[in-house]
Amino acid sequence: MTNSGRGFHTGLLLSLAMVLSLLCEPVLAIAAWQSDSTRSAINIGLTGHTGFIIPHSREIRDISGSNPWGIEADVSLHFTNERAWQYLQGYPRLGAALAYYNFDNPDILGNAIPCSCM
């Protein structure tokens, strides 16, 4: 793929990630229909990330033109009952997140696919 094709492909993916992020940034909370909050809320999130590399030393000047980007999806249960508050003095979340990060320089920086539990 030529550099212009690669740039177009990266720009298209970045644009898609940003649009999805703007549409889904306010995390969708599907709360239970009970007024006493005894059931947990299900939280579904989709977030876009973008950034840049600051050339703070001579060793990384070659990669300072990179513009990393990523997309992250998460699902969690948010416990909002009195028992959770009494036990932890807060309302905990239990869930998982999966993300993909493209560091815009695959030969040197590579890519990342992290998975985390919360």
Side-chain angles (χ1 to χ4, degrees), residues 34-93:
Q34 296 181 354
S35 61
D36 62 352
S37 298
T38 59
R39 294 180 57 187
S40 302
I42 299 172
N43 297 304
I44 302 169
L46 184 65
T47 307
H49 303 278
T50 186
F52 56 92
I53 297 175
I54 299 172
H56 57 80
S57 69
R58 279 182 253 167
E59 289 81 15
I60 66 166
R61 286 209 176 135
D62 294 339
I63 60 169
S64 65
S66 300
N67 292 307
W69 62 271
I71 189 162
E72 177 182 1
D74 66 85
V75 176
S76 66
L77 291 174
H78 193 183
F79 299 98
T80 58
N81 57 24
E82 185 68 25
R83 184 175 175 213
W85 179 263
Q86 291 299 323
Y87 184 69
L88 296 168
Q89 297 298 305
Y91 296 117
R93 288 189 182 197

